[in-house]
Amino acid sequence: MPLLSANALGWLIESALSTQSLLLGRAVHAHIIRTIKSPFPPFLSNHLINFYSKLDSPNSAQLLLSLTPPRFRSVVTWTALIAGSVQNGHFTSALLHFSDMRRQSVQPNDFTFPCLFKASALLHYPLMGQQLHALALKGSFINDVFVGCSAFDMYCKTGLRKYAQKMFDEMPHRNIATWNACISNSVLDGRPYYAFLKFVELLKLGEDPPNSITFCVFLNACSDGLYLKLGQQLHGYVIRLGFGSDVSVLNGMVDFYGKCHQVKYSELVFNEINVRNDVSWCTMLAVYEQNDIWDNAFMLFLKARKEGIKPTEFMLSSVLSACAGMAVLELGRSIHGLAVKACIEHNVFVGSALVDMYGKCGSIENCESAFYEMPERNLITWNAVMGGYAHQGCADMALSLFEEMTSESHNVVPSYVTFVCVLTACSRAGAVKIGMDIFESMRNKYGIEPGPEHYACVVDILGRAGLVERAYDFIKKMHVPPTVSIWGALLGACRVHGKPELGKVAADNLFRLDPLDSGNHVILSNMFAAAGRWNEANLVRKEMKDVGITKGAGVSWISAKNSIHIFQAKDTTHKRYPEIQAMLAKLRRDMKAEGYIADTNSALYDLEEEEKESEVWHHSEKIALAFGLIAIPPGVPIRITKNLRVCVDCHSAIKFISGITGREIVVRDNNRFHSFKDYQCSCRDYW
């Protein structure tokens, strides 16, 4: 490299920084060492310190600082070091550098303070932030719009709402960044309506026109508050101001409509985006996943891959959640392979999604492997594996994991969702005392107020143990109005333990809360039928018919050879129907030889016994299982998903079939998993 002037070398360092080229910067640094005597001119040292600090090479930056004589270290030198540390997430280092800077009697400037306020905010150090505020006030920097905005943002993020409000009110001039910080922090603070008021105030004052960031944060407020009409009005305003082609605003629109469950509008906006970025695809994918439109999520993912979009952690997390919702294990494994190929399987979001997917697809071994292979776990990861254990019937393992999570070695603080998982595990295990103790610890030990889901779990715990009357007394003493899930848990307990009178009380409350749900009517009707009270059973059916409630069709599906096969009750349409019927006939003979007696209490009408037996024998899950036995090779678990609750007879029959065939059978209904093996089920015959 020929001899270059100091100015030219400084320009080269800046070029290396703008292109993020550490190699080029080091080459320029080497040339400086060869051609310029130490100490370097101060501006060159500043360039180099700024370069290394911004490219996250803190050791090199620190070494250069130590080689720079103290008389050459200016506020520019220190601010470069502090800014680079903050930019790369080294917030504590930034504050330590500031402390060293003050010891050398170097005064901060209006570029230093915004970095320091950001470090204090993200470390959640309100006291440090207040000290910095005092220093900025003393140096007459606080009225600078950027310094003031940073101080305001710090107060918001550290929870000092009164100080933030005072800071905002006393600012002599607010730029659009200040208003954006105000609206954004109001959303993060759970105050979407206040964010709306501030947005209106911004428009009325007309100090600065809103920009794309303003629209995006206001859309977040509309999403959190489900303010559909406000968001639609903003949509029109955005188009009028000429932001209708801004990709970041359109991405925000897609997200907003999705969270308001207006998927068609999300699709319309998504299709209007001329040049979609990664966020566009991830956002639309998340919309489908959040609204349980899993087929569309899969199709969109395939379309994104065809258009050359690289899989990101957020995209794969959404697709894995869709796999979990559909319980399609093989597709989930394919997505896992993509994550490994993209080297993001150990990302905490992707890893947590993998744990959740394997748990909800009934593969507890893969769920455990994904969990223990994660180098970093968050609370969502722990909740996912505990939920997987609970729903698979591995209740003791879920309770053991809860103890491990809250132990001193991990010291993870449980959340609202954690207690739903662990209380579900207690109900599966029949652990009444442990469950009640954990329920009491929620408020007393962890300060978490129980919600409807927790109360429903307690009713389920008591009901499963046969303490149905005690469960009813618990409901009457609750501090919150009973929900559908709470009365549903009591109705389920009454069904299992044969308590039709109390079951009718639960059912009447369910009919009042959710009059169009056919499932509750069917359970009550079957309960009366099981007790031989056919007049009352038929009366419930008649009431359903009178108000126009129809029982949802039972549908089961099974994956075999990369295809999904769907079956309904009495299905005769499958191309392998003759083989399926032959397998059903064989199973029926073998089961009777083993002592199986059909449970016909769930037959819909007061039919002759032989007709009842034929009725329950052609349920969709039995047909799907017969297909699985002829299509899936021995040694491979058969996995079936059903949209409704598995009936008593099908549950009993599949237990027999698991023993007769020696196959592992996993059935996921709309309530839980059933893992059948050797004549046993993981649910212990209570579901």
Side-chain angles (χ1 to χ4, degrees):
M1 185 182 287
L3 290 176
L4 298 171
S5 68
N7 287 335
L9 290 169
W11 179 84
L12 280 173
I13 296 167
E14 285 298 304
S15 297
L17 177 60
S18 63
T19 58
Q20 301 285 292
S21 175
L22 190 62
L23 185 64
L24 174 60
R26 288 192 183 280
V28 177
H29 187 184
H31 185 77
I32 291 171
I33 292 171
R34 286 176 56 200
T35 58
I36 298 178
K37 289 183 179 180
S38 183
F40 305 145
F43 81 94
L44 269 184
S45 292
N46 291 343
H47 272 306
L48 286 167
I49 289 170
N50 184 55
F51 166 76
Y52 283 120
S53 187
K54 294 280 176 63
L55 290 192
D56 202 15
S57 295
N59 293 335
S60 298
Q62 188 68 45
L63 181 60
L64 268 168
L65 181 74
S66 66
L67 295 173
T68 303
R71 68 181 185 277
F72 286 172
R73 299 174 192 168
S74 66
V75 65
V76 176
T77 314
W78 288 101
T79 300
L81 196 61
I82 291 167
S85 298
V86 171
Q87 181 177 306
N88 290 289
H90 308 306
F91 307 119
T92 304
S93 296
L95 295 177
L96 290 173
H97 291 319
F98 176 65
S99 180
D100 292 339
M101 168 184 162
R102 294 285 291 150
R103 285 196 193 96
Q104 294 186 16
S105 301
V106 178
Q107 299 300 318
N109 63 15
D110 52 343
F111 292 98
T112 318
F113 280 110
C115 300
L116 296 169
F117 280 127
K118 184 176 181 180
S120 300
L122 293 172
L123 286 170
H124 206 81
Y125 286 171
L127 184 59
M128 173 65 75
Q130 288 176 303
Q131 291 173 341
L132 290 168
H133 185 181
L135 194 62
L137 192 63
K138 185 178 177 181
S140 301
F141 291 110
I142 201 63
N143 287 335
D144 178 270
V145 66
F146 297 105
V147 175
C149 179
S150 301
F152 166 72
D153 188 61
M154 178 273 298
Y155 281 127
C156 289
K157 285 187 166 60
T158 53
L160 300 177
R161 192 183 293 175
K162 288 182 180 178
Y163 288 97
Q165 186 64 55
K166 191 171 187 296
M167 185 81 212
F168 186 82
D169 293 340
E170 292 178 356
M171 290 178 73
H173 175 67
R174 309 180 192 109
N175 62 5
I176 192 61
T178 313
W179 286 99
N180 290 346
C182 180
I183 298 168
S184 176
N185 282 300
S186 299
V187 175
L188 293 172
D189 199 29
R191 298 184 294 159
Y193 189 72
Y194 182 77
F196 156 67
L197 294 177
K198 284 298 175 184
F199 179 75
V200 173
E201 185 181 342
L202 166 66
L203 297 183
K204 285 181 178 177
L205 292 174
E207 292 181 355
D208 278 307
N211 59 18
S212 60
I213 297 174
T214 318
F215 294 131
C216 288
V217 295
F218 182 67
L219 283 168
N220 287 336
C222 294
S223 299
D224 285 9
L226 297 179
Y227 302 142
L228 179 60
K229 294 295 182 185
L230 282 176
Q232 288 175 319
Q233 290 173 17
L234 180 75
H235 193 168
Y237 185 62
V238 161
I239 293 170
R240 198 175 78 188
L241 287 189
F243 286 87
S245 59
D246 187 296
V247 67
S248 60
V249 177
L250 292 176
N251 290 341
M253 285 287 175
V254 172
D255 178 67
F256 156 70
Y257 282 122
K259 286 177 178 172
C260 291
H261 309 296
Q262 302 294 318
V263 179
K264 288 184 178 179
Y265 290 137
S266 288
E267 291 172 333
L268 286 171
V269 175
F270 178 78
N271 291 330
E272 286 176 5
I273 304 175
N274 293 324
V275 182
R276 302 179 187 122
N277 57 18
D278 290 351
V279 178
S280 310
W281 292 96
C282 290
T283 305
M284 192 65 230
L285 198 59
V287 167
Y288 284 136
E289 187 273 320
Q290 290 161 4
N291 287 276
D292 297 342
I293 310 174
W294 299 308
D295 289 348
N296 287 15
F298 297 139
M299 297 305 295
L300 186 73
F301 178 70
L302 291 174
K303 185 177 179 182
R305 296 289 292 147
K306 286 178 182 177
E307 295 201 13
I309 304 297
K310 292 182 179 179
T312 64
E313 57 265 33
F314 300 108
M315 184 180 289
L316 292 187
S317 298
S318 295
V319 179
L320 286 167
S321 295
C323 293
M326 285 284 285
V328 283
L329 179 63
E330 294 308 317
L331 183 55
R333 282 181 173 147
S334 300
I335 304 300
H336 189 173
L338 275 177
V340 172
K341 189 176 179 182
C343 300
I344 55 175
E345 79 276 15
H346 290 151
N347 173 275
V348 68
F349 300 108
V350 176
S352 298
L354 282 168
V355 171
D356 183 58
M357 182 273 295
Y358 281 124
K360 288 179 178 174
C361 288
S363 180
I364 204 67
E365 296 84 3
N366 291 123
C367 176
E368 289 175 328
S369 296
F371 177 77
Y372 287 111
E373 286 172 6
M374 287 180 67
E376 177 191 356
R377 302 174 193 134
N378 59 14
L379 181 59
I380 295 170
T381 321
W382 288 91
N383 289 346
V385 74
M386 260 192 295
Y389 280 141
H391 290 294
Q392 292 286 329
C394 308
D396 294 339
M397 297 176 76
L399 293 171
S400 174
L401 196 71
F402 176 72
E403 291 180 7
E404 181 185 346
M405 183 186 92
T406 54
S407 65
E408 290 184 4
S409 58
H410 294 286
N411 199 27
V412 179
V413 179
S415 67
Y416 187 99
V417 176
T418 310
F419 283 104
V420 174
C421 295
V422 75
L423 288 171
T424 301
C426 291
S427 69
R428 301 287 192 254
V432 177
K433 186 178 186 309
I434 295 173
M436 297 307 293
D437 289 344
I438 289 173
F439 178 75
E440 291 299 325
S441 74
M442 282 184 63
R443 187 187 290 113
N444 299 337
K445 186 175 180 180
Y446 297 102
I448 298 174
E449 195 64 31
E453 296 89 351
H454 304 110
Y455 285 114
C457 286
V458 172
V459 172
D460 195 46
I461 289 170
L462 297 172
R464 284 173 181 268
L467 305 172
V468 183
E469 286 79 10
R470 183 177 164 187
Y472 182 49
D473 290 337
F474 177 82
I475 292 174
K476 290 191 287 187
K477 293 175 183 176
M478 283 179 357
H479 299 296
V480 298
T483 61
V484 169
S485 59
I486 292 168
W487 287 118
L490 183 64
L491 180 61
C494 292
R495 175 186 65 84
V496 171
H497 295 290
K499 302 280 186 180
E501 298 304 328
L502 191 52
K504 189 170 189 315
V505 173
D508 287 342
N509 281 281
L510 283 167
F511 298 162
R512 178 176 52 82
L513 292 171
D514 191 5
L516 298 180
D517 184 359
S518 65
N520 299 320
H521 291 79
V522 172
I523 291 174
L524 182 62
S525 175
N526 289 345
M527 199 186 307
F528 283 135
R533 295 160 63 168
W534 287 103
N535 288 337
E536 291 162 288
N538 290 331
L539 182 61
V540 174
R541 297 283 178 172
K542 183 177 182 301
E543 289 174 353
M544 286 177 64
K545 187 176 180 180
D546 290 344
V547 295
I549 300 172
T550 56
K551 180 180 180 294
V555 176
S556 297
W557 58 95
I558 183 171
S559 176
K561 297 180 181 178
N562 298 321
S563 296
I564 304 294
H565 300 262
I566 302 171
F567 300 93
Q568 290 187 345
K570 302 179 183 179
D571 202 325
T572 62
T573 59
H574 197 275
K575 63 182 180 180
R576 299 186 71 173
Y577 172 70
E579 295 174 80
I580 293 171
Q581 286 303 305
M583 177 58 74
L584 283 171
K586 181 180 182 303
L587 290 172
R588 198 169 182 178
R589 290 193 302 271
D590 293 345
M591 289 163 64
K592 284 193 174 181
E594 289 279 328
Y596 164 75
I597 299 173
D599 187 328
T600 56
N601 287 328
S602 58
L604 297 183
Y605 303 104
D606 189 9
L607 305 171
E608 293 298 325
E609 193 64 30
E610 188 175 337
E611 293 176 292
K612 289 183 188 178
E613 196 169 324
S614 177
E615 176 80 23
V616 298
W617 188 250
H618 290 90
H619 283 181
S620 63
E621 56 267 55
K622 287 193 181 85
I623 300 173
L625 176 54
F627 171 76
L629 288 169
I630 62 177
I632 297 175
V636 179
I638 297 171
R639 302 179 186 278
I640 299 167
T641 307
K642 186 177 181 182
N643 65 329
L644 302 176
R645 191 187 293 254
V646 173
C647 79
V648 176
D649 179 69
C650 285
H651 189 270
S652 177
I654 297 172
K655 280 203 304 181
F656 267 86
I657 293 168
S658 72
I660 291 167
T661 62
R663 301 291 294 266
E664 181 184 351
I665 304 164
V666 180
V667 179
R668 177 182 172 184
D669 65 12
N670 68 347
N671 187 46
R672 60 159 297 153
F673 274 98
H674 303 269
S675 297
F676 299 91
K677 195 172 184 180
D678 298 329
Y679 298 96
Q680 299 295 323
C681 179
S682 60
C683 76
R684 304 181 186 184
D685 297 340
Y686 190 112
W687 68 100

